[in-house]
Amino acid sequence: GAVVSQHPSWVICKSGTSVKIECRSLDFQATTMFWYRQFPKQSLMLMATSNEGSKATYEQGVEKDKFLINHASLTLSTLTVTSAHPEDSSFYICSAPGRFDNEQFFGPGTRLTVL
Amino acid sequence: AQSVTQPDIHITVSEGASLELRCNYSYGATPYLFWYVQSPGQGLQLLLKYFSGDTLVQGIKGFEAEFKRSQSSFNLRKPSVHWSDAAEYFCAVGAATGGSYIPTFGRGTSLIVHP
């Protein structure tokens, strides 16, 4: 099946710094990618839809200026957590749809810890 | 809006015993239904999916699920659980949106397997 990678797999940063997370589709192209956030022992919450060549679509309650999304190419989307604070600590997961609209391929996730 | 309920936060079974994880959904039309498994610190792996046709769906790792429209349920089953099945299990309902679908996840059920 299709593979989606994320980098880094984990990151620790100081409060106030910015962190960039990459999501790549390794063997297929994705004009759309999705970013999720998962708190410990909780479900995945959709944050935003990343669109290649246009602006991302954010879910209600997600700060656009806080979570910057750039879909630079057909295989890469990045999520930048700006001026990170401890409450931003979470597990961030991306996904990309496959060739058929009933497939979603998930990345392994990125664990962000903000000190 | 679609929603998913997984009533059990934790399920504990003995190795070799049978398993059933409950999932109820709310959706106005015929849903796309999914079960995913997440091992600690990992992304999501698709176990099985239902779109139409036979209401009993076979998946990977010996799992199956049955779609029951009258009960709005899509319970996951396995006849004999292995220790390696210990993980977090998520039920999801998806609606096709512009060529792809965006899943809505339940809160997850944590499966604990005793030797």
Side-chain angles (χ1 to χ4, degrees):
Chain A
V3 177
V4 174
S5 70
Q6 283 184 241
H7 178 79
S9 55
W10 59 270
V11 56
I12 302 173
C13 68
K14 293 181 179 180
S15 185
T17 61
S18 295
V19 175
K20 179 184 285 187
I21 302 170
E22 294 184 347
C23 177
R24 292 181 184 273
S25 56
L26 295 185
D27 51 359
F28 66 105
Q29 294 181 335
T31 56
T32 302
M33 291 182 176
F34 302 99
W35 286 96
Y36 297 84
R37 183 174 182 176
Q38 184 181 29
F39 291 102
K41 301 297 184 182
Q42 295 190 29
S43 185
L44 283 76
M45 300 301 296
L46 181 65
M47 298 175 63
T49 302
S50 174
N51 303 297
E52 191 270 337
S54 64
K55 293 182 179 180
T57 305
Y58 290 82
E59 296 299 300
Q60 189 173 9
V62 178
E63 300 177 59
K64 300 179 182 180
D65 296 332
K66 175 73 170 178
F67 299 99
L68 299 179
I69 291 174
N70 181 32
H71 203 129
S73 72
L74 288 172
T75 60
L76 174 64
S77 174
T78 59
L79 168 67
T80 301
V81 183
T82 63
S83 186
H85 288 92
E87 57 265 32
D88 298 323
S89 298
S90 193
F91 196 52
Y92 293 87
I93 299 174
C94 70
S95 73
R99 295 176 59 189
F100 307 101
D101 65 3
N102 52 33
E103 297 178 67
Q104 279 285 344
F105 298 98
F106 288 85
T110 297
R111 173 77 59 193
L112 171 63
T113 300
V114 185
L115 303 177
Chain B
Q2 61 222 41
S3 66
V4 176
T5 301
Q6 292 181 250
D8 303 307
I9 298 177
H10 302 285
I11 291 285
T12 301
V13 299
S14 297
E15 191 170 14
S18 63
L19 170 71
E20 182 170 34
L21 301 182
R22 296 185 289 167
C23 172
N24 292 95
Y25 69 90
S26 173
Y27 185 61
T30 300
Y32 290 170
L33 294 164
F34 308 84
W35 274 101
Y36 290 90
V37 60
Q38 184 182 37
S39 297
Q42 302 295 313
L44 295 167
Q45 181 181 22
L46 179 67
L47 287 175
L48 46 79
K49 58 190 177 185
Y50 169 81
F51 303 117
S52 64
D54 192 348
T55 56
L56 185 62
V57 180
Q58 302 297 320
I60 62 172
K61 302 184 179 184
F63 286 93
E64 66 176 26
E66 185 171 13
F67 171 58
K68 293 185 178 180
R69 184 186 299 276
S70 61
Q71 299 177 18
S72 297
S73 71
F74 189 57
N75 294 348
L76 181 71
R77 300 193 294 249
K78 186 170 184 176
S80 178
V81 171
H82 189 264
W83 64 267
S84 61
D85 293 324
E88 194 80 16
Y89 291 81
F90 292 94
C91 181
V93 60
T97 305
S100 63
Y101 78 85
I102 303 175
T104 298
F105 291 91
R107 66 178 177 180
T109 297
S110 181
L111 175 63
I112 301 166
V113 180
H114 283 313

